[in-house]
Amino acid sequence: MTVAIIQARLGSTRLPGKVLRPLNGKPLIAHIIDRLSYCKKINAVILATTTKDTDNALADWCKVNNVKCFRGDENNILKRYYDTATEYKADIIVRVTADDPFKDPKVIDSVIELLKTEAVDFAFNNSPPSFPEGLDTEVFTYDAIKQAFEAETTDFEKEHVTQFFYHNPDKFKLSNFAYKKDFSHLRLTVDTEQDFELAEKIYEKLSPEGQMFYLDGILSLFEKEPELMDINKGVKRSAMYAK
């Protein structure tokens, strides 16, 4: 069983409450779940949030919208993933972060297929990065996350889930899925007001009535209206995204 687990909480430091903030008529998190529904190789989608009272609203939203929800450790996100995967009997886990409303189902399916065909423990598309930031895809086996959970991991590895895999290539079989051209300079994640403004513009232009669109549509839009890329050009990139 292949399960997409979305790590989400309302206490974002840079843009609090962004997960439930309306984007093109519905909460940002709803767009992520909708996009995952187009993946042909995912069997279930679980939102994994914390047990803090501040995340009750997120759990309530899941209940109202028939979204599976698991509540676990706030800071040890590795444990939250392991507990969620165990609860839902996942064989393969797709890691999804709740600030990326442009996840591409075709890319995700390709990374899942890579993991299966090459029989690796961990497949990804961001080391080295070639996709825009925000289209990162990481897929790993249940056995791999169990090994990471039972190991002596650092606080950094507990917070960032997959870093134990990257730090221990001798323990795991790894494989990177690269795009045909390097677009890693583009920023398609939502951490700031500028990011949210760009997301609104893209959804207004490509999905005015809720239509599905993919990376190629975004790239075509940027080619026609390059000024859009200036909206969040000054936002500092994540240190995790360094080449």
Side-chain angles (χ1 to χ4, degrees):
M1 171 119 117
T2 300
V3 176
I5 299 177
I6 309 171
Q7 61 187 76
R9 63 189 181 97
L10 290 172
S12 167
T13 52
R14 289 210 278 179
L15 199 60
K18 65 183 175 184
V19 177
L20 291 178
R21 184 170 174 176
L23 171 64
N24 202 40
K26 57 187 176 183
L28 186 150
I29 189 65
H31 290 288
I32 297 171
I33 293 169
D34 286 349
R35 296 178 75 80
L36 291 173
S37 72
Y38 284 83
C39 292
K40 297 177 180 178
K41 298 183 183 296
I42 288 177
N43 303 115
V45 176
I46 318 296
L47 189 146
T49 191
T50 81
T51 54
K52 291 189 69 175
D53 289 345
T54 50
D55 287 317
N56 287 346
L58 190 51
D60 291 343
W61 180 88
C62 287
K63 187 174 182 179
V64 170
N65 291 276
N66 296 312
V67 174
K68 294 182 177 67
C69 180
F70 183 91
R71 305 189 72 171
D73 197 289
E74 178 188 12
N75 299 312
N76 188 343
I77 306 175
L78 173 61
K79 182 180 187 302
R80 200 194 312 169
Y81 264 82
Y82 174 70
D83 289 345
T84 306
T86 301
E87 174 75 16
Y88 286 93
K89 297 179 171 57
D91 301 306
I92 295 172
I93 299 101
V94 180
R95 182 189 178 211
V96 182
T97 49
D99 44 13
D100 297 337
F102 300 107
K103 291 295 191 200
D104 191 312
K106 295 177 182 177
V107 174
I108 293 171
D109 280 342
S110 294
V111 179
I112 294 171
E113 185 62 24
L114 177 64
L115 179 117
K116 292 179 176 179
T117 56
E118 295 195 1
V120 297
D121 305 300
F122 179 39
F124 42 85
N125 70 343
N126 55 5
S127 185
S130 55
F131 287 84
E133 183 176 5
L135 272 81
D136 314 59
T137 299
E138 296 179 317
V139 183
F140 43 89
T141 65
Y142 178 79
D143 289 342
I145 197 171
K146 184 175 187 290
Q147 185 176 342
F149 173 71
E150 293 176 347
E152 292 186 12
T153 49
T154 65
D155 288 344
F156 180 82
E157 290 165 342
K158 289 173 183 174
E159 180 183 356
H160 295 287
V161 184
T162 54
Q163 287 303 300
F164 186 77
F165 303 145
Y166 292 117
H167 295 164
N168 295 276
D170 56 319
K171 292 182 172 68
F172 303 98
K173 294 179 182 176
L174 314 180
S175 186
N176 181 63
F177 179 75
Y179 197 51
K180 56 191 175 184
K181 187 178 177 182
D182 185 2
F183 285 105
S184 60
H185 59 286
L186 297 177
R187 181 177 173 84
L188 291 172
T189 189
V190 176
D191 273 328
T192 68
E193 288 292 346
Q194 297 100 309
D195 293 333
F196 201 90
E197 181 185 348
L198 176 60
E200 287 183 314
K201 296 286 187 186
I202 293 172
Y203 267 89
E204 285 171 7
K205 293 173 181 294
L206 296 183
S207 184
E209 298 177 1
Q211 302 93 328
M212 182 60 191
F213 60 93
Y214 298 87
L215 174 58
D216 54 358
I218 299 173
L219 296 177
S220 295
L221 176 63
F222 283 168
E223 190 173 347
K224 294 174 187 173
E225 302 183 39
E227 66 276 7
L228 291 173
M229 292 182 283
D230 293 335
I231 293 174
N232 67 347
K233 187 172 65 174
V235 178
K236 187 177 179 181
R237 299 176 66 79
S238 168
M240 302 276 295
Y241 215 72
K243 293 200 181 206

